[in-house]
Amino acid sequence: MPAPGELILDAPSRGRPPRHLMDLTGEQRRAAVTELGLPAFRADQVSRHWLGRLEDDPSAWSDLPADARGVITALLPPLLTQARTIDCDAGSTVKTAWRLHDGALIESVLMRYPDRVTMCISSQAGCGMNCPFCATGQSGLTRNLSTAEIVEQVLAGARSLQRGQVAGGPGRVSNVVFMGMGEPLANYAAVINAIRRLTLPVPEGLGMSARGITVSTVGLVPRIHQFAQEHLPVTLAISLHAPDDHLRDTLVPINTRWPVAEVMDAAWAYAEATGRRVSIEYALIRDINDHSWRAEMLADLLQGHLVHVNLIPLNPTPGSKWTASRPEDEEAFVGVLRRRGVAVTVRDTRGREIDGACGQLAALS
Ligand code: SAH
């Protein structure tokens, strides 16, 4: 049964990306290699190279007969072509714009911290949610990404880390956040499949911890309820940005369909079903949503719940009249939440000078 809002959420189809090993479950991989005339057990072997050892050159897979190494490339079409890469923070933040098979552009960002490596990835090319402060929102939705196009963004980062190509030496991806381009819950099936591919053990998946994964949404209420039923211990982040419908209708236009109260009910149901603390994203925009009285309203909404507020200083988009809050207003906002016992942190603005946040690299390419 289509969820309410399905029609406006569906992406136009522009020719599917070629089928890739990472689109397939373990069972489907065995069927696919059999179709190629190889014995079914080759599927696990190939998956161990791809996901376990992060090796992406089949010609080096010496445990496969030479002809099988050639045949298997049919399931490994290149999906992401590097269009542009820039780094900052002494090479510990790396942002890549990728060109897809049909020319669409997406981006991913790798952020290395002392104790973890986080990859911020895209779930759609463009976005249909039209939030006025977000660079991606300005150009609209191009299309949904396939499962493999999502997974391959993480694998590209994982490979470059393993090969010591990121400052700080060899490492592993510990966290994945769906905070690049797109609204992940508007591309539901591919995002869930990608999460399964990332978290199932090798050879079926990459073996990451689901607790290291965050899905960020504008608040597609029916999909949040559905997501809760997947019982994946993934963190849900809600892009709230305003505690009141009056302002949120402007900042996050889908609010006119699913208002604040419904979004928060769905978020608490998610916390209940998964035991995971919900993350609330709030971009602080000078004189728009950063008043102390709005902080009080936000506290009224959140107090007593399993929740954490992530304040994000607005990263102004080119031509926008909006800018980040004054430091004193930010401090006052934080102060109100703390006083009211609401857990809050201000997000560091990694990658700011390379337009690290929010759709800006692909927009420039
Ligand atoms: N569509 C999803 C995920 C992508 S954006 C969502 O909206 O949640 C990830 C986060 O960055 C969201 O909270 C989004 O509102 C925020 N964001 C977008 N543009 C921004 C900007 N210019 N400055 C600060 N945060 C921004």
Side-chain angles (χ1 to χ4, degrees), residues 234-295:
V234 165
T235 300
L236 177 72
I238 303 283
S239 295
L240 197 63
H241 305 311
D244 53 309
D245 287 321
H246 181 67
L247 178 57
R248 195 168 189 266
D249 280 350
T250 309
L251 295 181
V252 184
I254 200 78
N255 193 70
T256 55
R257 185 169 201 113
W258 291 295
V260 172
E262 286 183 36
V263 172
M264 294 319 303
D265 280 350
W268 306 141
Y270 186 87
E272 175 92 359
T274 61
R276 305 288 295 161
R277 188 165 79 158
V278 171
S279 183
I280 300 294
E281 289 164 283
Y282 199 107
L284 282 172
I285 313 175
R286 183 182 297 185
D287 298 331
I288 300 290
N289 66 352
D290 61 355
H291 321 87
S292 288
W293 60 266
R294 269 212 168 82

Side-chain angles (χ1 to χ4, degrees), residues 93-108:
T93 303
V94 184
K95 177 154 138 159
T96 308
W98 303 102
R99 197 174 299 283
L100 308 180
H101 82 104
D102 56 355
L105 283 169
I106 58 160
E107 61 182 21
S108 62

Side-chain angles (χ1 to χ4, degrees), residues 133-134 178-180 182-184 216-218 239 241 281 283 312-315 317 358:
F133 57 89
C134 173
F178 285 83
M179 294 188 187
E183 168 48 47
S216 176
T217 179
V218 288
S239 295
H241 305 311
E281 289 164 283
I312 318 166
L314 183 81
N315 193 12
T317 55
C358 319

Side-chain angles (χ1 to χ4, degrees), residues 19 21 26 61 79 99 129 152 208 254 291 306 311 338 350 356:
R19 182 175 72 153
L21 190 73
W61 299 348
L79 295 178
R99 197 174 299 283
M129 296 298 117
E152 283 299 309
M208 284 186 65
I254 200 78
H291 321 87
L306 194 59
L311 296 174
R338 292 236 161 95
R350 272 278 185 122

Side-chain angles (χ1 to χ4, degrees), residues 12-226:
S13 64
R14 299 209 325 173
R16 281 179 156 280
R19 182 175 72 153
H20 190 281
L21 190 73
M22 290 298 101
D23 286 314
L24 309 176
T25 63
E27 197 55 50
Q28 291 167 335
R29 287 175 214 168
R30 284 187 281 281
V33 300
T34 312
E35 274 167 35
L36 291 172
L38 300 175
F41 72 87
R42 296 284 178 218
D44 273 11
Q45 253 181 328
V46 167
S47 299
R48 277 180 212 286
H49 282 296
W50 200 260
L51 289 157
R53 301 185 194 92
L54 301 174
E55 287 168 357
D56 60 348
D57 176 11
S59 68
W61 299 348
S62 53
D63 56 343
L64 265 76
D67 57 337
R69 287 178 230 163
V71 169
I72 205 68
T73 57
L75 286 176
L76 301 168
L79 295 178
L80 310 180
T81 311
Q82 210 167 300
R84 183 168 157 187
T85 295
I86 28 181
D87 63 69
C88 66
D89 305 316
S92 59
T93 303
V94 184
K95 177 154 138 159
T96 308
W98 303 102
R99 197 174 299 283
L100 308 180
H101 82 104
D102 56 355
L105 283 169
I106 58 160
E107 61 182 21
S108 62
V109 186
L110 183 154
M111 290 160 282
R112 184 169 214 160
Y113 301 90
D115 59 334
R116 65 188 194 280
V117 177
T118 300
M119 286 218 59
C120 175
I121 60 168
S122 298
S123 56
Q124 299 181 310
C127 184
M129 296 298 117
N130 210 18
C131 303
F133 57 89
C134 173
T136 307
Q138 310 318 300
S139 37
L141 178 63
T142 302
R143 69 168 170 86
N144 278 333
L145 301 191
S146 64
T147 300
E149 285 171 328
I150 297 171
V151 172
E152 283 299 309
Q153 294 171 63
V154 178
L155 289 178
R159 286 181 208 118
S160 62
L161 271 166
Q162 168 165 288
R163 292 169 194 171
Q165 292 161 352
V166 178
R172 298 178 68 85
V173 177
S174 52
N175 297 77
V176 167
V177 297
F178 285 83
M179 294 188 187
M181 278 186 164
E183 168 48 47
L185 297 188
N187 185 14
Y188 191 83
V191 165
I192 296 294
N193 284 337
I195 293 170
R196 294 203 194 285
R197 230 62 97 220
L198 295 175
T199 55
L200 284 168
V202 176
E204 174 116 19
L206 185 61
M208 284 186 65
S209 164
R211 292 168 195 283
I213 297 180
T214 298
V215 170
S216 176
T217 179
V218 288
L220 306 184
V221 165
R223 296 297 171 89
I224 295 173
H225 286 299
Q226 191 180 352

